[in-house]
């Protein structure tokens, strides 16, 4: 029961994007379509799960003072793995996400979970935590990506349902800020109703 | 002429915050007041310029020479973390007044993706040493400009009667969207 709660907290209650406002750069940068959002989210989830796993594995051997630098090295290694794998097998997605793949290193969500959760908990719950937060992050990216794709280009998963262009501003940068702002409002409203 | 294009493009057309979406965390986090945003911009300018210079040298003389380009991400983030620490220690000793002004912002910069982003971008664009430095300075000015304008807007926003669910971060995002829209007017200059 506890593990289930641990897993589901990332979706709404501790959603890194809508509630904690962490790791917002890729959230705004790559969500021009739903599929980009999912790709970025899954890449981040992989890094989160693996880094949480390794951090909780070594937590008893690393001296407290060099904790943060060693976390960063672990995270950077997994980011490099993702980067090279994606470049080899998914070149078009790699092209679309561009700079934001190496920038997973400085995504505060990843370092935040390593420091706040994995360095204090056992291996199994750290993996579950990474999976939950990562999928919550993916969910947020997917939501914002779909909103922007539906409004901006009138399609979903590259399946077009209107003729011509949509409201172009939502594909451009201002639309990212405005769409995210309104999604947060919606989440706030829902949270208030639930409470 | 080339330098002027790099500068104008980095500050206005491809503004690092409003059109490239780098450094959003400090953009939302420390933009509540104009003074703090000026301090943050100063610290970013300092670190970004030095970091881009050093990572350029490392990329050219170490990673490319040895053919270990795949170590780029790991090396760059460690160099930046190390530099931030170094800058902090040196500033504390050399100029305590500047340290007082920038002090609290310096540790935050390690996780500022704008710094790593600019270092990576100047490698991707194949800039030479001088171009990289100019690119870094221009981008940090662009960051400062966006941050300070945004802080000014948010100070005024405090006086406005905002509907409840919008209060705080959501309305800040909507305002940032409008600001980004204003910056889109610069598109096509270069």
């Amino acid at each position: 029961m506890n593990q289930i709660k641990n897993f589901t907290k990332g979706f709404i209650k501790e959603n890194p994007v809508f509630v904690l406002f962490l790791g917002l750069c890729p959230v705004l940068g790559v969500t021009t379509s739903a599929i980009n959002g999912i790709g970025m989210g899954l890449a981040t989830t992989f890094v989160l799960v693996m880094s949480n796993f390794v951090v909780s594995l070594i937590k008893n051997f690393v001296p407290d003072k060099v904790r943060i630098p060693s976390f960063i090295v672990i995270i950077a290694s997994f980011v490099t793995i993702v980067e090279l794998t994606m470049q080899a097998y998914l070149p078009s997605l790699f092209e679309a996400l561009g700079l934001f793949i190496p920038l997973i290193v400085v995504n505060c969500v990843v370092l935040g979970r390593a420091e706040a959760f994995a360095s204090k908990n056992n291996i199994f719950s750290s993996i579950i935590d990474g999976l939950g937060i990562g999928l919550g992050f993916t969910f947020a990216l997917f939501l914002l990506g779909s909103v922007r794709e539906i409004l901006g280009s009138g399609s979903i998963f590259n399946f077009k349902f209107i003729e011509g262009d949509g409201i172009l501003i939502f594909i451009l940068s201002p639309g990212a800020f405005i769409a995210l702002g309104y999604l947060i409002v919606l989440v706030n409203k829902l949270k208030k109703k639930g409470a | 002429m080339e330098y002027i294009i790099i500068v104008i493009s980095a500050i206005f057309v491809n503004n690092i915050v409003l059109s490239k979406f780098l450094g959003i965390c400090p953009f939302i986090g420390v933009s509540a007041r104009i003074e703090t945003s000026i301090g943050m911009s100063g610290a970013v300018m300092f670190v970004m310029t030095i970091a881009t210079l050093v990572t350029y040298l490392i990329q050219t003389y170490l990673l490319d020479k040895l053919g270990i380009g795949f170590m780029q991400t790991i090396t760059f983030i460690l160099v930046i973390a190390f530099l931030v620490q170094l800058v902090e220690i040196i500033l504390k000793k050399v100029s305590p007044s500047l340290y007082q002004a920038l002090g609290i912002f310096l540790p935050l910069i390690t996780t500022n993706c704008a710094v790593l982003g600019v270092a990576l971008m100047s490698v991707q664009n194949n800039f030479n040493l001088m171009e990289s430095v100019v690119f870094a300075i221009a981008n940090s000015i662009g960051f400062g400009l966006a941050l300070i304008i945004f802080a000014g807007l948010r100070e005024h926003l405090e006086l406005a009667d905002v509907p409840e669910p919008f209060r705080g971060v959501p309305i800040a995002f909507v305002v940032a969207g409008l600001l980004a829209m204003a910056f889109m007017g610069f598109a096509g200059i270069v």
Side-chain angles (χ1 to χ4, degrees), chain A residues 40 43-44 47 75 79 82 99-107 110:
Chain A
M40 184 70 205
T44 314
V47 175
I75 295 167
V79 170
V82 168
L99 198 58
F100 287 101
I101 292 290
L103 287 179
I104 297 175
V105 182
V106 280
N107 190 326
V110 183

Side-chain angles (χ1 to χ4, degrees), chain A residues 21 24-25 28-29 72-73 76 80 83 99-100 102-103 105-106 108 172-174 176-177 180-182 184-185 188 192, chain B residues 18 20-25 70 73-74 77-78 110-111 113 116 120-121 164-166 169-170 173 176-177 180-181 184:
Chain A
F21 312 121
L24 292 174
C25 303
L28 295 165
I72 291 179
V73 174
T80 308
E83 201 181 342
L99 198 58
F100 287 101
L103 287 179
V105 182
V106 280
C108 359
L172 300 170
S173 54
F177 287 109
L180 181 58
Y182 275 89
I184 295 172
V185 171
N188 278 353
K192 216 163 170 212
Chain B
L18 297 171
K20 291 231 178 77
F21 302 118
L22 297 175
I24 301 288
C25 299
F70 60 88
T73 313
I74 301 182
I77 188 68
L78 284 180
T110 318
T111 51
C113 45
L116 182 62
L120 288 170
M121 271 193 283
E164 222 208 292
F166 276 91
V169 176
F173 272 113
M181 223 181 273
M184 273 178 74

Side-chain angles (χ1 to χ4, degrees), chain A:
Chain A
M1 194 60 211
N2 219 353
Q3 292 298 352
I4 296 172
K5 213 180 240 168
N6 188 11
F7 178 71
T8 52
K9 69 173 184 254
F11 283 85
I12 299 289
K13 219 177 103 224
E14 285 186 41
N15 189 296
V17 177
F18 296 137
V19 180
L20 304 177
F21 312 121
L22 290 175
L24 292 174
C25 303
V27 172
L28 295 165
V30 304
T31 49
T32 47
S33 70
I35 199 83
N36 282 357
I38 292 180
M40 184 70 205
L42 291 182
T44 314
T45 306
F46 172 78
V47 175
L48 248 171
V49 172
M50 294 310 287
S51 67
N52 260 8
F53 168 62
V54 175
V55 164
S56 83
L57 205 61
I58 61 158
K59 63 174 185 286
N60 295 330
F61 310 110
V62 179
D64 216 35
K65 275 193 183 142
V66 293
R67 190 174 80 245
I68 301 285
S70 40
F71 292 170
I72 291 179
V73 174
I74 292 166
I75 295 167
S77 316
F78 286 114
V79 170
T80 308
I81 292 173
V82 168
E83 201 181 342
L84 296 177
T85 314
M86 203 180 258
Q87 201 167 7
Y89 295 106
L90 297 163
S92 60
L93 186 64
F94 182 77
E95 199 76 8
L97 301 181
L99 198 58
F100 287 101
I101 292 290
L103 287 179
I104 297 175
V105 182
V106 280
N107 190 326
C108 359
V109 178
V110 183
L111 188 62
R113 290 330 285 180
E115 165 72 6
F117 196 92
S119 65
K120 295 187 189 77
N121 288 283
N122 64 37
I123 295 172
F124 184 66
S125 32
S126 298
I127 292 176
I128 298 291
D129 173 78
L131 205 60
I133 297 282
L135 291 179
F137 187 69
T138 310
F139 170 67
L141 281 166
F142 162 69
L143 213 60
L144 184 59
S146 344
V147 167
R148 285 181 69 190
E149 196 181 350
I150 290 170
L151 292 174
S153 42
S155 62
I156 183 80
F157 294 115
N158 294 324
F159 174 76
K160 251 186 134 36
F161 54 79
I162 59 156
E163 296 273 318
D165 292 329
I167 313 163
L168 213 54
I169 197 83
F170 279 97
I171 290 292
L172 300 170
S173 54
F177 287 109
I178 295 173
L180 181 58
Y182 275 89
L183 278 179
I184 295 172
V185 171
L186 206 65
V187 171
N188 278 353
K189 194 86 191 161
L190 287 179
K191 253 192 353 204
K192 216 163 170 212
K193 221 176 231 171

Side-chain angles (χ1 to χ4, degrees), chain B residues 2-69:
Chain B
E2 218 156 87
Y3 294 128
I4 297 175
I5 291 177
I6 291 178
V7 170
I8 302 272
S9 140
I11 297 178
F12 296 112
V13 183
N14 294 314
N15 185 284
I16 185 158
V17 180
L18 297 171
S19 97
K20 291 231 178 77
F21 302 118
L22 297 175
I24 301 288
C25 299
F27 183 67
I28 298 293
V30 293
S31 59
R33 307 200 37 170
I34 290 186
E35 282 106 79
T36 50
S37 65
I38 290 174
M40 186 70 192
S41 316
V44 165
M45 190 178 286
F46 209 66
V47 173
M48 196 184 270
T49 312
I50 301 173
T52 308
L53 179 69
V54 175
T55 51
Y56 174 83
L57 295 176
I58 286 178
Q59 176 73 30
T60 326
Y61 294 106
L62 208 66
L63 298 183
D64 286 352
K65 275 269 153 64
L66 299 175
I68 46 170

